[in-house]
Amino acid sequence: MLGTRRAVCVDADQTVEAACFAMRQQKIDRVVVMQRSGAASAPLGILSASNIVTRVVALGLDASAVTVSDLLWAAPARARVSDTLPQALERLSAAGADALPVVDSDDRLIGVVSLEDLLVALAAIAIPRVHRIRR
């Protein structure tokens, strides 16, 4: 899949404060939330800085007492590494999200794809076509 970025992960039972620390340390604005089950783990969703601001800070909640899983409201949505650009956009739209974890055929986390990544990929396809039409 085009635009897949390396994922920075946090465990679902970690505090929001720990997730914020990871975001700051890695200079990113979202992390993939993982559910561990023995040796295996699966992505549950994406936690963004915006989620933290609107669901913790704005409500005056204690980030050291709220867990990351407390902020995941929707069923886990994922993009597949085999998805086409339109399929990935459809999954993103259906989830109402701005980023999704990308998994392989065994549901192992491969990376993250954002709306921005997909728009850049679309632009790369559309811009050469526009130049050909204008000439």
Side-chain angles (χ1 to χ4, degrees):
M1 170 178 290
L2 296 172
T4 302
R5 300 179 190 200
R6 177 184 66 88
V8 174
C9 303
V10 296
D11 288 333
D13 60 356
Q14 283 186 282
T15 65
V16 170
E17 182 178 56
C20 289
F21 180 77
M23 288 180 188
R24 182 169 186 251
Q25 188 176 36
Q26 296 292 320
K27 298 179 180 163
I28 56 173
D29 64 354
R30 63 179 62 95
V31 291
V32 177
V33 180
M34 301 293 288
Q35 179 67 54
R36 306 238 181 249
S37 177
S41 61
L44 290 178
I46 301 274
L47 177 67
S48 70
S50 175
N51 296 145
I52 294 167
V53 168
T54 59
R55 299 177 188 174
V56 178
V57 176
L59 299 176
L61 301 177
D62 182 357
S64 66
V66 177
T67 66
V68 170
S69 63
D70 291 335
L71 301 184
L72 297 180
W73 295 349
R78 302 172 183 148
R80 299 248 171 231
V81 73
S82 59
D83 283 351
T84 63
L85 190 53
Q87 287 171 324
L89 282 167
E90 178 59 35
R91 288 183 194 274
L92 197 65
S93 176
D98 65 357
L100 291 175
V102 179
V103 296
D104 65 12
S105 59
D106 295 322
D107 284 335
R108 289 183 301 227
L109 183 66
I110 301 299
V112 174
V113 66
S114 70
L115 177 59
E116 180 183 350
D117 297 329
L118 297 174
L119 291 175
V120 167
L122 276 173
I125 293 167
I127 289 173
R129 290 181 182 165
V130 169
H131 288 294
R132 281 185 291 209
I133 293 170
R134 289 185 181 167
R135 290 184 183 172

PDB file of all heavy atoms in Angstrom, residues 41 43 80 102-111:
ATOM      1  N   SER A  41      -0.156 -10.044  19.339  1.00  0.00           N
ATOM      2  CA  SER A  41      -0.774  -8.739  19.565  1.00  0.00           C
ATOM      3  C   SER A  41      -1.500  -8.322  18.299  1.00  0.00           C
ATOM      4  O   SER A  41      -1.167  -8.750  17.197  1.00  0.00           O
ATOM      5  CB  SER A  41       0.267  -7.700  19.953  1.00  0.00           C
ATOM      6  OG  SER A  41       1.215  -7.543  18.925  1.00  0.00           O
ATOM      7  N   PRO A  43      -3.665  -4.807  16.429  1.00  0.00           N
ATOM      8  CA  PRO A  43      -4.007  -3.386  16.554  1.00  0.00           C
ATOM      9  C   PRO A  43      -5.490  -3.199  16.846  1.00  0.00           C
ATOM     10  O   PRO A  43      -6.340  -3.806  16.205  1.00  0.00           O
ATOM     11  CB  PRO A  43      -3.629  -2.816  15.179  1.00  0.00           C
ATOM     12  CG  PRO A  43      -3.600  -3.972  14.251  1.00  0.00           C
ATOM     13  CD  PRO A  43      -3.304  -5.189  15.072  1.00  0.00           C
ATOM     14  N   ARG A  80      -5.689  -2.952   4.813  1.00  0.00           N
ATOM     15  CA  ARG A  80      -4.880  -4.136   4.473  1.00  0.00           C
ATOM     16  C   ARG A  80      -3.748  -3.709   3.559  1.00  0.00           C
ATOM     17  O   ARG A  80      -3.919  -2.813   2.725  1.00  0.00           O
ATOM     18  CB  ARG A  80      -5.733  -5.176   3.766  1.00  0.00           C
ATOM     19  CG  ARG A  80      -6.876  -5.659   4.611  1.00  0.00           C
ATOM     20  CD  ARG A  80      -6.651  -7.089   4.996  1.00  0.00           C
ATOM     21  NE  ARG A  80      -7.637  -7.496   5.973  1.00  0.00           N
ATOM     22  CZ  ARG A  80      -7.308  -8.090   7.110  1.00  0.00           C
ATOM     23  NH1 ARG A  80      -6.058  -8.354   7.382  1.00  0.00           N
ATOM     24  NH2 ARG A  80      -8.233  -8.447   7.953  1.00  0.00           N
ATOM     25  N   VAL A 102      -2.239  -0.491   9.306  1.00  0.00           N
ATOM     26  CA  VAL A 102      -2.183  -1.346   8.116  1.00  0.00           C
ATOM     27  C   VAL A 102      -1.694  -2.718   8.555  1.00  0.00           C
ATOM     28  O   VAL A 102      -0.659  -2.824   9.226  1.00  0.00           O
ATOM     29  CB  VAL A 102      -1.233  -0.762   7.054  1.00  0.00           C
ATOM     30  CG1 VAL A 102      -1.174  -1.678   5.832  1.00  0.00           C
ATOM     31  CG2 VAL A 102      -1.673   0.642   6.658  1.00  0.00           C
ATOM     32  N   VAL A 103      -2.450  -3.752   8.188  1.00  0.00           N
ATOM     33  CA  VAL A 103      -2.099  -5.118   8.581  1.00  0.00           C
ATOM     34  C   VAL A 103      -1.892  -5.984   7.341  1.00  0.00           C
ATOM     35  O   VAL A 103      -2.404  -5.677   6.259  1.00  0.00           O
ATOM     36  CB  VAL A 103      -3.178  -5.752   9.493  1.00  0.00           C
ATOM     37  CG1 VAL A 103      -3.290  -4.996  10.815  1.00  0.00           C
ATOM     38  CG2 VAL A 103      -4.528  -5.813   8.794  1.00  0.00           C
ATOM     39  N   ASP A 104      -1.161  -7.087   7.535  1.00  0.00           N
ATOM     40  CA  ASP A 104      -0.956  -8.040   6.442  1.00  0.00           C
ATOM     41  C   ASP A 104      -2.060  -9.098   6.481  1.00  0.00           C
ATOM     42  O   ASP A 104      -3.017  -8.985   7.253  1.00  0.00           O
ATOM     43  CB  ASP A 104       0.444  -8.652   6.490  1.00  0.00           C
ATOM     44  CG  ASP A 104       0.696  -9.520   7.714  1.00  0.00           C
ATOM     45  OD1 ASP A 104      -0.255  -9.861   8.452  1.00  0.00           O
ATOM     46  OD2 ASP A 104       1.869  -9.870   7.942  1.00  0.00           O
ATOM     47  N   SER A 105      -1.926 -10.127   5.673  1.00  0.00           N
ATOM     48  CA  SER A 105      -2.967 -11.161   5.587  1.00  0.00           C
ATOM     49  C   SER A 105      -3.110 -11.968   6.878  1.00  0.00           C
ATOM     50  O   SER A 105      -4.121 -12.623   7.084  1.00  0.00           O
ATOM     51  CB  SER A 105      -2.690 -12.092   4.411  1.00  0.00           C
ATOM     52  OG  SER A 105      -1.427 -12.710   4.575  1.00  0.00           O
ATOM     53  N   ASP A 106      -2.105 -11.911   7.761  1.00  0.00           N
ATOM     54  CA  ASP A 106      -2.167 -12.594   9.054  1.00  0.00           C
ATOM     55  C   ASP A 106      -2.552 -11.640  10.182  1.00  0.00           C
ATOM     56  O   ASP A 106      -2.394 -11.965  11.360  1.00  0.00           O
ATOM     57  CB  ASP A 106      -0.824 -13.249   9.370  1.00  0.00           C
ATOM     58  CG  ASP A 106      -0.478 -14.354   8.397  1.00  0.00           C
ATOM     59  OD1 ASP A 106      -1.403 -15.099   8.001  1.00  0.00           O
ATOM     60  OD2 ASP A 106       0.703 -14.471   8.026  1.00  0.00           O
ATOM     61  N   ASP A 107      -3.039 -10.453   9.826  1.00  0.00           N
ATOM     62  CA  ASP A 107      -3.423  -9.401  10.783  1.00  0.00           C
ATOM     63  C   ASP A 107      -2.252  -8.888  11.618  1.00  0.00           C
ATOM     64  O   ASP A 107      -2.447  -8.360  12.706  1.00  0.00           O
ATOM     65  CB  ASP A 107      -4.574  -9.847  11.691  1.00  0.00           C
ATOM     66  CG  ASP A 107      -5.904  -9.823  10.970  1.00  0.00           C
ATOM     67  OD1 ASP A 107      -6.043  -9.055   9.998  1.00  0.00           O
ATOM     68  OD2 ASP A 107      -6.811 -10.569  11.375  1.00  0.00           O
ATOM     69  N   ARG A 108      -1.035  -9.024  11.101  1.00  0.00           N
ATOM     70  CA  ARG A 108       0.134  -8.443  11.777  1.00  0.00           C
ATOM     71  C   ARG A 108       0.284  -6.993  11.336  1.00  0.00           C
ATOM     72  O   ARG A 108       0.137  -6.679  10.149  1.00  0.00           O
ATOM     73  CB  ARG A 108       1.410  -9.214  11.444  1.00  0.00           C
ATOM     74  CG  ARG A 108       1.447 -10.587  12.095  1.00  0.00           C
ATOM     75  CD  ARG A 108       2.754 -11.255  11.779  1.00  0.00           C
ATOM     76  NE  ARG A 108       2.892 -11.371  10.331  1.00  0.00           N
ATOM     77  CZ  ARG A 108       3.257 -12.454   9.682  1.00  0.00           C
ATOM     78  NH1 ARG A 108       3.574 -13.532  10.341  1.00  0.00           N
ATOM     79  NH2 ARG A 108       3.335 -12.470   8.368  1.00  0.00           N
ATOM     80  N   LEU A 109       0.606  -6.140  12.286  1.00  0.00           N
ATOM     81  CA  LEU A 109       0.766  -4.718  12.001  1.00  0.00           C
ATOM     82  C   LEU A 109       1.963  -4.490  11.086  1.00  0.00           C
ATOM     83  O   LEU A 109       3.068  -4.959  11.357  1.00  0.00           O
ATOM     84  CB  LEU A 109       0.943  -3.944  13.309  1.00  0.00           C
ATOM     85  CG  LEU A 109       1.061  -2.438  13.163  1.00  0.00           C
ATOM     86  CD1 LEU A 109      -0.244  -1.834  12.654  1.00  0.00           C
ATOM     87  CD2 LEU A 109       1.449  -1.813  14.497  1.00  0.00           C
ATOM     88  N   ILE A 110       1.727  -3.745  10.004  1.00  0.00           N
ATOM     89  CA  ILE A 110       2.770  -3.405   9.042  1.00  0.00           C
ATOM     90  C   ILE A 110       3.147  -1.933   9.167  1.00  0.00           C
ATOM     91  O   ILE A 110       4.295  -1.559   9.007  1.00  0.00           O
ATOM     92  CB  ILE A 110       2.302  -3.701   7.595  1.00  0.00           C
ATOM     93  CG1 ILE A 110       1.952  -5.177   7.436  1.00  0.00           C
ATOM     94  CG2 ILE A 110       3.322  -3.257   6.570  1.00  0.00           C
ATOM     95  CD1 ILE A 110       3.101  -6.123   7.692  1.00  0.00           C
ATOM     96  N   GLY A 111       2.176  -1.090   9.440  1.00  0.00           N
ATOM     97  CA  GLY A 111       2.425   0.346   9.533  1.00  0.00           C
ATOM     98  C   GLY A 111       1.136   1.106   9.726  1.00  0.00           C
ATOM     99  O   GLY A 111       0.145   0.559  10.199  1.00  0.00           O
TER     100      GLY A 111
END
